[in-house]
Amino acid sequence: MANGSRHTTAVVAGALVLLGALASCGTGGGTAGPSPQPSASAARTTGDSPHGAVPSDAAGSTNDLSPTAAGSADRSASRCRTAELSATVGRMDPGAGQRNLPVVLTNVSSRTCTLYGHPGAAFVDAAGGQLGRDPKRTPGAPATVTLTPGASAWAGLSYASPGVSGARAATPAALLVTPPDERDPLKVPWTDGAVPVSGNASSVFLTVLEPGTGP
């Protein structure tokens, strides 16, 4: 009976030693088991940019854009912003009952930027109320105008003299000029007298922008 007890004790001890060795192998250097995987929330926090921070064209190469779309993207990236420009109205050139003035936008920033198409314009009174309708855009072939710092572009503003056309007139306090594709206007004091605001021949016209300060 004593021999049986000793045999049983030896078997149990051997089993305990074997289990201890296996446990030691499983926890020793961390190489025996698979590495823990980060949770999905951790991956988003440390690796993924917020959707709003990703440029809209980042998902595709520019090679995927059509020439027209690529040109529009280039213009959007480089276009002049309102805060980078100043606006002035050049000398009036009257002729045959017509009033013609250059509306000039000048790059006052330290970078090169571009303008494309027609600017916006509106006559306003001292309280900021608009006088007359928005100017009509004259047909023309717009081209990208590149403005280095200090360079200018101009658009022609024209209307029939109210004294000749008989249109109802008013004298604006200012002309608001909005660069192409921008929302914020530049305010230019108006010193060129009455403009047509209603009635026959009251339309005001505006041309596309081109390089320089006027004809």
Side-chain angles (χ1 to χ4, degrees):
M1 188 67 179
N3 290 337
S5 296
R6 285 196 297 271
H7 178 72
T8 301
T9 301
V11 170
V12 171
L16 290 175
V17 171
L18 179 60
L19 288 174
L22 290 174
S24 175
C25 291
T27 60
T31 57
S35 301
Q37 297 297 316
S39 67
S41 60
R44 285 195 296 271
T45 301
T46 59
D48 294 349
S49 299
H51 178 71
V54 179
S56 59
D57 60 349
S61 166
T62 53
N63 293 331
D64 297 331
L65 298 174
S66 67
T68 300
S72 298
D74 290 343
R75 286 197 301 272
S76 178
S78 65
R79 80 168 185 261
C80 299
R81 311 291 171 164
T82 298
E84 297 175 311
L85 300 167
S86 67
T88 57
V89 176
R91 183 178 60 85
M92 179 183 289
D93 179 24
Q98 193 77 6
R99 300 289 183 263
N100 306 293
L101 305 100
V103 176
V104 182
L105 293 173
T106 300
N107 181 2
V108 295
S109 75
S110 59
R111 76 177 185 107
T112 296
C113 59
T114 61
L115 295 171
Y116 180 86
H118 295 80
F123 293 111
V124 295
D125 59 22
Q130 183 168 341
L131 299 173
R133 299 177 180 177
D134 292 339
K136 295 181 178 181
R137 295 179 173 184
T138 60
T144 299
V145 181
T146 300
L147 298 183
T148 57
S152 300
W154 71 282
L157 182 75
S158 62
Y159 53 88
S161 171
V164 174
S165 69
R168 188 172 73 83
T171 300
L175 177 70
L176 301 183
V177 181
T178 307
D181 300 314
E182 291 290 291
R183 293 183 178 274
D184 297 324
L186 297 162
K187 189 174 183 178
V188 184
W190 183 258
T191 59
D192 289 292
V195 300
V197 294
S198 66
N200 294 333
S202 62
S203 294
V204 178
F205 300 92
L206 200 59
T207 68
V208 296
L209 286 158
E210 55 186 290
T213 57

